[in-house]
């Protein structure tokens, strides 16, 4: 039975979406205040998250709930790898590791992929539609805040295989609405989408603490320099 899943997901995650936007790291990011070290750690964390999502989506691509929204043109792993090479250098794979919150997030994706793959819909919706909706704005903010040129360090926001992102979002939402789910499964998918938002928030909150440490360090240095000039 078709349940207008796209609309139900949007309405069922409104509160979680608002909470995620109010995490300090996200608010600072949207205002154009970005610590480069925290940002490259975010890119690394996202690499592990998308690697997990895309692995499980591929393994479950023939599942009736997954096949309608299995669009390889949305995959972000390779784009993130390019950004990581820019931020960490050619040996980036040896330089990165998932944070504690990212490990939890990745474990969740693999667990549901093996045990209840229908819930992967929630994670795909949360990440990919968010990327399509705000990608160009976030790219502009990132480039301006860190003085980046061209596509250096911002490949994550580029969907080279999608000509019209607005039209593709319509296609994606329509595909979600055409997934056959009963009310119980729909409830489970919406609940999992809220879990996905929570997992994302915890990754951002870890970056909050890194950002605060950087700001305290900068303040301490400024005070020391001021005292030395006296």
């Amino acid at each position: 039975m078709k349940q207008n899943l796209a609309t139900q997901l949007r309405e069922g995650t409104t509160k979680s979406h608002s909470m995620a936007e109010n995490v300090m790291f996200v608010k600072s990011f949207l205002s154009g205040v970005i610590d480069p070290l925290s940002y490259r750690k975010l890119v690394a964390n996202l690499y592990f998250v998308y690697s997990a999502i895309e692995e499980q989506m591929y393994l479950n691509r023939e599942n009736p709930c997954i096949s309608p929204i299995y669009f390889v043109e949305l995959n972000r792993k390779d784009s993130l790898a390019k950004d990581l090479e820019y931020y960490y250098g050619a040996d980036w794979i040896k330089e990165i590791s998932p944070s504690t919150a990212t490990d939890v997030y990745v474990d969740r994706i693999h667990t549901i992929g093996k045990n209840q793959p229908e819930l992967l819909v929630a994670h795909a919706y949360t990440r990919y539609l968010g990327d399509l909706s705000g990608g160009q704005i976030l790219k502009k903010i990132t480039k301006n805040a860190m003085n980046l040129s061209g596509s250096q360090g911002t490949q994550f926001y580029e969907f080279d295989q999608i000509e019209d992102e607005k039209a593709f979002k319509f296609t994606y939402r329509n595909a979600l609405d055409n997934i056959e789910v009963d009310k119980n499964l729909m409830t489970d998918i919406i609940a999992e989408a809220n879990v996905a938002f929570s997992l994302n928030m915890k990754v951002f909150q870890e970056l909050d603490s890194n950002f605060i440490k950087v700001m305290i360090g900068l303040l301490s240095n400024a005070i020391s320099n001021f005292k030395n000039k006296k």
Side-chain angles (χ1 to χ4, degrees), residues 10-22 194 197 201:
R10 186 183 70 250
E11 294 176 353
T13 58
T14 300
K15 184 177 179 180
S16 292
H17 190 275
S18 178
M19 290 173 65
E21 288 183 335
N22 281 291
N194 282 296
F197 271 105
M201 284 175 58

Side-chain angles (χ1 to χ4, degrees), residues 67-93:
S67 59
I69 60 165
Y70 184 65
F71 297 100
V72 293
E73 53 265 53
L74 286 173
N75 287 357
R76 299 289 83 205
K77 179 182 176 181
D78 291 343
S79 298
L80 286 161
K82 293 176 183 177
D83 287 341
L84 289 168
E85 183 174 0
Y86 173 77
Y87 290 116
Y88 287 91
D91 290 331
W92 61 269
I93 195 67

Side-chain angles (χ1 to χ4, degrees), residues 10 13 31 45 62 70 87 96-97 106 118 129 139 159 162 189-190 194 208 213 222 224:
R10 186 183 70 250
T13 58
S31 67
N45 286 335
E62 295 181 3
Y70 184 65
Y87 290 116
I96 66 171
S97 59
V106 168
E118 295 79 13
L129 265 188
K139 177 184 176 181
F159 289 88
I162 297 175
I189 291 172
I190 293 171
N194 282 296
D208 278 349
K213 288 176 184 176
S224 296

Side-chain angles (χ1 to χ4, degrees), residues 110-160:
H110 286 306
T111 298
I112 64 172
K114 293 173 183 175
N115 299 316
Q116 196 175 0
E118 295 79 13
L119 299 187
L120 290 170
V121 172
H123 290 273
Y125 165 84
T126 302
R127 287 300 335 171
Y128 293 124
L129 265 188
D131 298 336
L132 285 169
S133 298
Q136 293 310 303
I137 294 173
L138 296 177
K139 177 184 176 181
K140 184 177 180 180
I141 292 172
T142 304
K143 290 180 69 174
N144 290 339
M146 298 199 292
N147 296 314
L148 301 173
S149 60
S151 60
Q152 289 182 327
T154 57
Q155 288 287 330
F156 171 61
Y157 306 111
E158 298 289 343
F159 289 88
D160 295 333

